[in-house]
Amino acid sequence: MKAALVDLVRIPSVCDEGAGGFPFGEAVDQALRKALQIAGELGFKTHYGDGGYYGFAEIGEGKEMLGILGHLDVVPPGKLTDWDRNPFDPIEMDGMLYGRGTQDDKGPLLASLYAVKALMDAGVKFNKRIRFIFGTDEESLWRCINRYTANEEMPDFGFSPDSRFPVTYAEKGLLQLRLEGINESGIRLTGGSAFNAVPDMILYEGERQDDLADKLDQLGFEYEWNEDGIEVKGKATHAMVPEEGINAIARLCIALKAIGIESKAINFIAQEIGEDPNATRIFGDCADEPSGKLKFNVGKIELGLVEQLSIDSRIPVTVSKEEMVSKLSAAAAKYGLEYKEFDWLAPIYLPLDHFMVTTLMNVYRQYSGDTVTPPRSSGGATYARAIKNCVAFGALTFDESMTEHQPNERADLKNLYKSMEIYAQAVYELTR
Ligand SMILES: [Zn+2]
């Protein structure tokens, strides 16, 4: 499993749409083929789907199908100087395997694949089919799984090893959107890399660098001079936990506004959002019991001829999307910005007495020794939303630090091996 994981992490499967004639680029396609090859050698029947949008690997007999859904694409590494080592040349150190994709999602996907292989080797007969579904576009638009859904047989139930243990039974609604307006300010600015990552830096190359530096000092915001201008520092983290990061775009906009540099987007951020990861000014105290607070992340800014903000928001499972959109549109309109939806993934919410929740909770408790951590709800989006009767399940332990989407992403191998025992028992019980 570890050797296969190293092979897969070596393939820099960042989305590069259309490159080499493949839907999400050559490297993503290579990762898909590699995963299918690995599964084929383990004894699964494999299928390369729809010109490389997805693939699957199947074993077992029966009418019913258990789906195990994971993905082979990874988010870009970000600034390479933030890594202690090459993100695509994994090395093992102090029980950790370092590399982009070790936690999200190549590690957990292979852990569950090899767990099933262990059952096969033990002579277990499956009374249901087990199908691993390999997605290739999870980190952007899910075009892979949407193609799968349109073309292929749907599993009857399943889990997605793309989260944390124990079971995730609720996932917030995920809204990605843009706010746009004509740029009448003459200011040029660009920063951030993805909707779903808190930006860890942004460069200001304009003329008011001395004033900006003074203001940043005053505000206590970290920055650095470099040959091109002032680099405002943030801290990268996943957009489902923006409160754990520092948004460099927000900090720059706050400082620019304070020295009188204005534009629609700058004013919107400085006045409506600031550094508040819950955008309370716009949405109020928006939260619910199963899934917690609304989260809001400005992931990208682009001030060219058009001003554009790319935003990721995670909406509590019982809250209406329409209501949130109308509040946001109204707030944006005050600044001359228009709301444009980019992507929407409806929430999932399985009752706590659903058989997937109870079965997987029992297995987890028995094999992890952790009998206290309750089922989780999350702001993350996993393929669990793509099929019915599906939850997210592992592979991170409840106490492992989450390094996905960050520099020095790493998997704790001891935990990953433990997850294989949990996955093996889970698959065993779900295929009786
Ligand atoms: Zn993932």
Side-chain angles (χ1 to χ4, degrees), residues 54-82:
Y54 57 85
F56 59 81
E58 192 176 301
I59 194 94
E61 303 291 334
K63 199 175 151 297
E64 276 187 283
M65 186 202 287
L66 164 67
I68 301 175
L69 298 81
H71 64 94
L72 294 163
D73 56 320
V74 295
V75 290
K79 252 173 68 185
L80 291 179
T81 48
D82 290 341

PDB file of all heavy atoms in Angstrom, residues 54-82:
ATOM      1  N   TYR A  54     -13.462   9.373 -15.342  1.00  0.00           N
ATOM      2  CA  TYR A  54     -13.524   8.592 -14.112  1.00  0.00           C
ATOM      3  C   TYR A  54     -13.067   7.183 -14.432  1.00  0.00           C
ATOM      4  O   TYR A  54     -12.842   6.822 -15.598  1.00  0.00           O
ATOM      5  CB  TYR A  54     -14.958   8.546 -13.548  1.00  0.00           C
ATOM      6  CG  TYR A  54     -15.960   7.986 -14.527  1.00  0.00           C
ATOM      7  CD1 TYR A  54     -16.163   6.602 -14.646  1.00  0.00           C
ATOM      8  CD2 TYR A  54     -16.691   8.823 -15.376  1.00  0.00           C
ATOM      9  CE1 TYR A  54     -17.050   6.081 -15.570  1.00  0.00           C
ATOM     10  CE2 TYR A  54     -17.581   8.306 -16.306  1.00  0.00           C
ATOM     11  CZ  TYR A  54     -17.753   6.943 -16.405  1.00  0.00           C
ATOM     12  OH  TYR A  54     -18.620   6.414 -17.320  1.00  0.00           O
ATOM     13  N   GLY A  55     -12.945   6.377 -13.402  1.00  0.00           N
ATOM     14  CA  GLY A  55     -12.673   4.961 -13.607  1.00  0.00           C
ATOM     15  C   GLY A  55     -13.290   4.209 -12.454  1.00  0.00           C
ATOM     16  O   GLY A  55     -13.707   4.813 -11.461  1.00  0.00           O
ATOM     17  N   PHE A  56     -13.423   2.885 -12.608  1.00  0.00           N
ATOM     18  CA  PHE A  56     -13.842   2.118 -11.436  1.00  0.00           C
ATOM     19  C   PHE A  56     -13.228   0.737 -11.427  1.00  0.00           C
ATOM     20  O   PHE A  56     -12.727   0.257 -12.456  1.00  0.00           O
ATOM     21  CB  PHE A  56     -15.369   2.076 -11.270  1.00  0.00           C
ATOM     22  CG  PHE A  56     -16.145   1.476 -12.405  1.00  0.00           C
ATOM     23  CD1 PHE A  56     -16.280   0.097 -12.532  1.00  0.00           C
ATOM     24  CD2 PHE A  56     -16.790   2.304 -13.325  1.00  0.00           C
ATOM     25  CE1 PHE A  56     -17.032  -0.445 -13.566  1.00  0.00           C
ATOM     26  CE2 PHE A  56     -17.538   1.768 -14.367  1.00  0.00           C
ATOM     27  CZ  PHE A  56     -17.659   0.386 -14.484  1.00  0.00           C
ATOM     28  N   ALA A  57     -13.227   0.140 -10.242  1.00  0.00           N
ATOM     29  CA  ALA A  57     -12.640  -1.181 -10.046  1.00  0.00           C
ATOM     30  C   ALA A  57     -13.603  -1.971  -9.190  1.00  0.00           C
ATOM     31  O   ALA A  57     -14.048  -1.488  -8.144  1.00  0.00           O
ATOM     32  CB  ALA A  57     -11.287  -1.056  -9.346  1.00  0.00           C
ATOM     33  N   GLU A  58     -13.966  -3.184  -9.657  1.00  0.00           N
ATOM     34  CA  GLU A  58     -15.037  -3.918  -8.987  1.00  0.00           C
ATOM     35  C   GLU A  58     -14.621  -5.336  -8.624  1.00  0.00           C
ATOM     36  O   GLU A  58     -13.834  -5.970  -9.323  1.00  0.00           O
ATOM     37  CB  GLU A  58     -16.254  -3.943  -9.917  1.00  0.00           C
ATOM     38  CG  GLU A  58     -17.514  -4.425  -9.224  1.00  0.00           C
ATOM     39  CD  GLU A  58     -18.734  -4.356 -10.139  1.00  0.00           C
ATOM     40  OE1 GLU A  58     -19.070  -3.263 -10.611  1.00  0.00           O
ATOM     41  OE2 GLU A  58     -19.328  -5.420 -10.388  1.00  0.00           O
ATOM     42  N   ILE A  59     -15.196  -5.820  -7.516  1.00  0.00           N
ATOM     43  CA  ILE A  59     -14.992  -7.197  -7.081  1.00  0.00           C
ATOM     44  C   ILE A  59     -16.271  -7.672  -6.405  1.00  0.00           C
ATOM     45  O   ILE A  59     -17.057  -6.848  -5.942  1.00  0.00           O
ATOM     46  CB  ILE A  59     -13.775  -7.288  -6.124  1.00  0.00           C
ATOM     47  CG1 ILE A  59     -13.317  -8.724  -5.907  1.00  0.00           C
ATOM     48  CG2 ILE A  59     -14.085  -6.661  -4.772  1.00  0.00           C
ATOM     49  CD1 ILE A  59     -12.242  -9.154  -6.820  1.00  0.00           C
ATOM     50  N   GLY A  60     -16.469  -8.971  -6.353  1.00  0.00           N
ATOM     51  CA  GLY A  60     -17.618  -9.509  -5.612  1.00  0.00           C
ATOM     52  C   GLY A  60     -18.775  -9.880  -6.512  1.00  0.00           C
ATOM     53  O   GLY A  60     -18.760  -9.615  -7.713  1.00  0.00           O
ATOM     54  N   GLU A  61     -19.775 -10.505  -5.895  1.00  0.00           N
ATOM     55  CA  GLU A  61     -20.947 -11.003  -6.620  1.00  0.00           C
ATOM     56  C   GLU A  61     -22.208 -10.444  -5.982  1.00  0.00           C
ATOM     57  O   GLU A  61     -22.222 -10.128  -4.813  1.00  0.00           O
ATOM     58  CB  GLU A  61     -21.030 -12.542  -6.502  1.00  0.00           C
ATOM     59  CG  GLU A  61     -19.803 -13.305  -6.984  1.00  0.00           C
ATOM     60  CD  GLU A  61     -19.622 -13.239  -8.488  1.00  0.00           C
ATOM     61  OE1 GLU A  61     -20.640 -13.049  -9.186  1.00  0.00           O
ATOM     62  OE2 GLU A  61     -18.481 -13.345  -8.957  1.00  0.00           O
ATOM     63  N   GLY A  62     -23.260 -10.414  -6.766  1.00  0.00           N
ATOM     64  CA  GLY A  62     -24.545 -10.028  -6.197  1.00  0.00           C
ATOM     65  C   GLY A  62     -25.144  -8.843  -6.905  1.00  0.00           C
ATOM     66  O   GLY A  62     -24.512  -8.199  -7.738  1.00  0.00           O
ATOM     67  N   LYS A  63     -26.407  -8.597  -6.573  1.00  0.00           N
ATOM     68  CA  LYS A  63     -27.143  -7.536  -7.222  1.00  0.00           C
ATOM     69  C   LYS A  63     -26.794  -6.179  -6.594  1.00  0.00           C
ATOM     70  O   LYS A  63     -26.601  -5.195  -7.287  1.00  0.00           O
ATOM     71  CB  LYS A  63     -28.647  -7.818  -7.083  1.00  0.00           C
ATOM     72  CG  LYS A  63     -29.515  -7.074  -8.078  1.00  0.00           C
ATOM     73  CD  LYS A  63     -30.968  -7.514  -7.936  1.00  0.00           C
ATOM     74  CE  LYS A  63     -31.922  -6.402  -8.326  1.00  0.00           C
ATOM     75  NZ  LYS A  63     -31.844  -5.189  -7.480  1.00  0.00           N
ATOM     76  N   GLU A  64     -26.714  -6.186  -5.286  1.00  0.00           N
ATOM     77  CA  GLU A  64     -26.460  -4.917  -4.602  1.00  0.00           C
ATOM     78  C   GLU A  64     -25.000  -4.489  -4.716  1.00  0.00           C
ATOM     79  O   GLU A  64     -24.104  -5.319  -4.829  1.00  0.00           O
ATOM     80  CB  GLU A  64     -26.812  -5.052  -3.118  1.00  0.00           C
ATOM     81  CG  GLU A  64     -28.287  -4.833  -2.827  1.00  0.00           C
ATOM     82  CD  GLU A  64     -28.507  -4.816  -1.329  1.00  0.00           C
ATOM     83  OE1 GLU A  64     -28.514  -5.899  -0.721  1.00  0.00           O
ATOM     84  OE2 GLU A  64     -28.628  -3.711  -0.782  1.00  0.00           O
ATOM     85  N   MET A  65     -24.809  -3.197  -4.649  1.00  0.00           N
ATOM     86  CA  MET A  65     -23.455  -2.682  -4.800  1.00  0.00           C
ATOM     87  C   MET A  65     -23.083  -1.681  -3.711  1.00  0.00           C
ATOM     88  O   MET A  65     -23.810  -0.731  -3.445  1.00  0.00           O
ATOM     89  CB  MET A  65     -23.319  -1.991  -6.167  1.00  0.00           C
ATOM     90  CG  MET A  65     -21.885  -1.550  -6.483  1.00  0.00           C
ATOM     91  SD  MET A  65     -21.843  -0.241  -7.705  1.00  0.00           S
ATOM     92  CE  MET A  65     -22.268  -1.123  -9.186  1.00  0.00           C
ATOM     93  N   LEU A  66     -21.933  -1.955  -3.092  1.00  0.00           N
ATOM     94  CA  LEU A  66     -21.330  -0.992  -2.162  1.00  0.00           C
ATOM     95  C   LEU A  66     -20.357  -0.127  -2.948  1.00  0.00           C
ATOM     96  O   LEU A  66     -19.454  -0.648  -3.604  1.00  0.00           O
ATOM     97  CB  LEU A  66     -20.572  -1.753  -1.056  1.00  0.00           C
ATOM     98  CG  LEU A  66     -19.565  -0.945  -0.219  1.00  0.00           C
ATOM     99  CD1 LEU A  66     -20.262   0.090   0.649  1.00  0.00           C
ATOM    100  CD2 LEU A  66     -18.707  -1.868   0.656  1.00  0.00           C
ATOM    101  N   GLY A  67     -20.547   1.169  -2.894  1.00  0.00           N
ATOM    102  CA  GLY A  67     -19.628   2.088  -3.584  1.00  0.00           C
ATOM    103  C   GLY A  67     -18.614   2.666  -2.606  1.00  0.00           C
ATOM    104  O   GLY A  67     -18.967   3.028  -1.492  1.00  0.00           O
ATOM    105  N   ILE A  68     -17.365   2.714  -3.039  1.00  0.00           N
ATOM    106  CA  ILE A  68     -16.336   3.397  -2.252  1.00  0.00           C
ATOM    107  C   ILE A  68     -15.748   4.461  -3.164  1.00  0.00           C
ATOM    108  O   ILE A  68     -15.186   4.146  -4.219  1.00  0.00           O
ATOM    109  CB  ILE A  68     -15.264   2.409  -1.753  1.00  0.00           C
ATOM    110  CG1 ILE A  68     -15.926   1.329  -0.881  1.00  0.00           C
ATOM    111  CG2 ILE A  68     -14.180   3.155  -0.961  1.00  0.00           C
ATOM    112  CD1 ILE A  68     -14.992   0.216  -0.434  1.00  0.00           C
ATOM    113  N   LEU A  69     -15.951   5.712  -2.794  1.00  0.00           N
ATOM    114  CA  LEU A  69     -15.691   6.815  -3.722  1.00  0.00           C
ATOM    115  C   LEU A  69     -14.551   7.689  -3.234  1.00  0.00           C
ATOM    116  O   LEU A  69     -14.599   8.229  -2.124  1.00  0.00           O
ATOM    117  CB  LEU A  69     -16.949   7.678  -3.874  1.00  0.00           C
ATOM    118  CG  LEU A  69     -18.209   7.047  -4.456  1.00  0.00           C
ATOM    119  CD1 LEU A  69     -18.975   6.243  -3.416  1.00  0.00           C
ATOM    120  CD2 LEU A  69     -19.138   8.125  -5.000  1.00  0.00           C
ATOM    121  N   GLY A  70     -13.538   7.810  -4.080  1.00  0.00           N
ATOM    122  CA  GLY A  70     -12.413   8.681  -3.737  1.00  0.00           C
ATOM    123  C   GLY A  70     -11.929   9.417  -4.967  1.00  0.00           C
ATOM    124  O   GLY A  70     -12.477   9.254  -6.056  1.00  0.00           O
ATOM    125  N   HIS A  71     -10.889  10.235  -4.800  1.00  0.00           N
ATOM    126  CA  HIS A  71     -10.421  10.992  -5.961  1.00  0.00           C
ATOM    127  C   HIS A  71      -8.907  10.985  -6.098  1.00  0.00           C
ATOM    128  O   HIS A  71      -8.182  10.847  -5.118  1.00  0.00           O
ATOM    129  CB  HIS A  71     -10.955  12.418  -5.942  1.00  0.00           C
ATOM    130  CG  HIS A  71     -10.473  13.256  -4.796  1.00  0.00           C
ATOM    131  ND1 HIS A  71      -9.377  14.073  -4.884  1.00  0.00           N
ATOM    132  CD2 HIS A  71     -10.937  13.409  -3.534  1.00  0.00           C
ATOM    133  CE1 HIS A  71      -9.195  14.705  -3.730  1.00  0.00           C
ATOM    134  NE2 HIS A  71     -10.119  14.318  -2.896  1.00  0.00           N
ATOM    135  N   LEU A  72      -8.456  11.161  -7.336  1.00  0.00           N
ATOM    136  CA  LEU A  72      -7.037  11.074  -7.668  1.00  0.00           C
ATOM    137  C   LEU A  72      -6.425  12.418  -8.027  1.00  0.00           C
ATOM    138  O   LEU A  72      -5.217  12.534  -8.203  1.00  0.00           O
ATOM    139  CB  LEU A  72      -6.844  10.097  -8.840  1.00  0.00           C
ATOM    140  CG  LEU A  72      -7.211   8.652  -8.472  1.00  0.00           C
ATOM    141  CD1 LEU A  72      -7.415   7.810  -9.714  1.00  0.00           C
ATOM    142  CD2 LEU A  72      -6.137   8.057  -7.576  1.00  0.00           C
ATOM    143  N   ASP A  73      -7.251  13.443  -8.168  1.00  0.00           N
ATOM    144  CA  ASP A  73      -6.688  14.764  -8.416  1.00  0.00           C
ATOM    145  C   ASP A  73      -6.265  15.375  -7.081  1.00  0.00           C
ATOM    146  O   ASP A  73      -6.759  14.984  -6.019  1.00  0.00           O
ATOM    147  CB  ASP A  73      -7.701  15.669  -9.132  1.00  0.00           C
ATOM    148  CG  ASP A  73      -9.027  15.812  -8.390  1.00  0.00           C
ATOM    149  OD1 ASP A  73      -9.509  14.798  -7.843  1.00  0.00           O
ATOM    150  OD2 ASP A  73      -9.567  16.931  -8.336  1.00  0.00           O
ATOM    151  N   VAL A  74      -5.351  16.315  -7.143  1.00  0.00           N
ATOM    152  CA  VAL A  74      -4.885  17.010  -5.936  1.00  0.00           C
ATOM    153  C   VAL A  74      -4.927  18.516  -6.173  1.00  0.00           C
ATOM    154  O   VAL A  74      -4.937  18.971  -7.320  1.00  0.00           O
ATOM    155  CB  VAL A  74      -3.436  16.604  -5.554  1.00  0.00           C
ATOM    156  CG1 VAL A  74      -3.365  15.148  -5.157  1.00  0.00           C
ATOM    157  CG2 VAL A  74      -2.445  16.912  -6.681  1.00  0.00           C
ATOM    158  N   VAL A  75      -4.932  19.280  -5.075  1.00  0.00           N
ATOM    159  CA  VAL A  75      -4.857  20.737  -5.228  1.00  0.00           C
ATOM    160  C   VAL A  75      -3.402  21.119  -5.526  1.00  0.00           C
ATOM    161  O   VAL A  75      -2.483  20.380  -5.178  1.00  0.00           O
ATOM    162  CB  VAL A  75      -5.359  21.504  -3.978  1.00  0.00           C
ATOM    163  CG1 VAL A  75      -6.855  21.353  -3.833  1.00  0.00           C
ATOM    164  CG2 VAL A  75      -4.629  21.063  -2.722  1.00  0.00           C
ATOM    165  N   PRO A  76      -3.202  22.286  -6.168  1.00  0.00           N
ATOM    166  CA  PRO A  76      -1.819  22.710  -6.467  1.00  0.00           C
ATOM    167  C   PRO A  76      -1.003  22.834  -5.168  1.00  0.00           C
ATOM    168  O   PRO A  76      -1.573  23.068  -4.105  1.00  0.00           O
ATOM    169  CB  PRO A  76      -2.002  24.085  -7.112  1.00  0.00           C
ATOM    170  CG  PRO A  76      -3.418  24.135  -7.567  1.00  0.00           C
ATOM    171  CD  PRO A  76      -4.196  23.260  -6.646  1.00  0.00           C
ATOM    172  N   PRO A  77       0.306  22.671  -5.278  1.00  0.00           N
ATOM    173  CA  PRO A  77       1.124  22.708  -4.059  1.00  0.00           C
ATOM    174  C   PRO A  77       1.236  24.092  -3.439  1.00  0.00           C
ATOM    175  O   PRO A  77       1.620  24.215  -2.280  1.00  0.00           O
ATOM    176  CB  PRO A  77       2.493  22.209  -4.528  1.00  0.00           C
ATOM    177  CG  PRO A  77       2.517  22.395  -6.009  1.00  0.00           C
ATOM    178  CD  PRO A  77       1.097  22.315  -6.469  1.00  0.00           C
ATOM    179  N   GLY A  78       0.904  25.154  -4.185  1.00  0.00           N
ATOM    180  CA  GLY A  78       1.130  26.503  -3.661  1.00  0.00           C
ATOM    181  C   GLY A  78       2.599  26.865  -3.822  1.00  0.00           C
ATOM    182  O   GLY A  78       3.275  26.335  -4.696  1.00  0.00           O
ATOM    183  N   LYS A  79       3.079  27.755  -2.961  1.00  0.00           N
ATOM    184  CA  LYS A  79       4.481  28.200  -3.084  1.00  0.00           C
ATOM    185  C   LYS A  79       5.428  27.094  -2.659  1.00  0.00           C
ATOM    186  O   LYS A  79       5.398  26.642  -1.518  1.00  0.00           O
ATOM    187  CB  LYS A  79       4.704  29.431  -2.205  1.00  0.00           C
ATOM    188  CG  LYS A  79       4.854  30.705  -3.012  1.00  0.00           C
ATOM    189  CD  LYS A  79       4.899  31.929  -2.122  1.00  0.00           C
ATOM    190  CE  LYS A  79       6.170  31.982  -1.287  1.00  0.00           C
ATOM    191  NZ  LYS A  79       6.144  33.104  -0.338  1.00  0.00           N
ATOM    192  N   LEU A  80       6.306  26.692  -3.570  1.00  0.00           N
ATOM    193  CA  LEU A  80       7.189  25.558  -3.270  1.00  0.00           C
ATOM    194  C   LEU A  80       8.146  25.863  -2.123  1.00  0.00           C
ATOM    195  O   LEU A  80       8.561  24.963  -1.400  1.00  0.00           O
ATOM    196  CB  LEU A  80       7.977  25.162  -4.527  1.00  0.00           C
ATOM    197  CG  LEU A  80       7.112  24.531  -5.626  1.00  0.00           C
ATOM    198  CD1 LEU A  80       7.957  24.186  -6.843  1.00  0.00           C
ATOM    199  CD2 LEU A  80       6.385  23.281  -5.113  1.00  0.00           C
ATOM    200  N   THR A  81       8.456  27.142  -1.934  1.00  0.00           N
ATOM    201  CA  THR A  81       9.381  27.497  -0.843  1.00  0.00           C
ATOM    202  C   THR A  81       8.744  27.278   0.528  1.00  0.00           C
ATOM    203  O   THR A  81       9.439  27.255   1.539  1.00  0.00           O
ATOM    204  CB  THR A  81       9.831  28.964  -0.966  1.00  0.00           C
ATOM    205  OG1 THR A  81       8.668  29.774  -1.180  1.00  0.00           O
ATOM    206  CG2 THR A  81      10.791  29.149  -2.121  1.00  0.00           C
ATOM    207  N   ASP A  82       7.426  27.125   0.569  1.00  0.00           N
ATOM    208  CA  ASP A  82       6.769  26.828   1.847  1.00  0.00           C
ATOM    209  C   ASP A  82       6.882  25.352   2.218  1.00  0.00           C
ATOM    210  O   ASP A  82       6.548  24.963   3.331  1.00  0.00           O
ATOM    211  CB  ASP A  82       5.291  27.215   1.797  1.00  0.00           C
ATOM    212  CG  ASP A  82       5.113  28.726   1.757  1.00  0.00           C
ATOM    213  OD1 ASP A  82       6.069  29.441   2.124  1.00  0.00           O
ATOM    214  OD2 ASP A  82       4.030  29.185   1.353  1.00  0.00           O
TER     215      ASP A  82
END
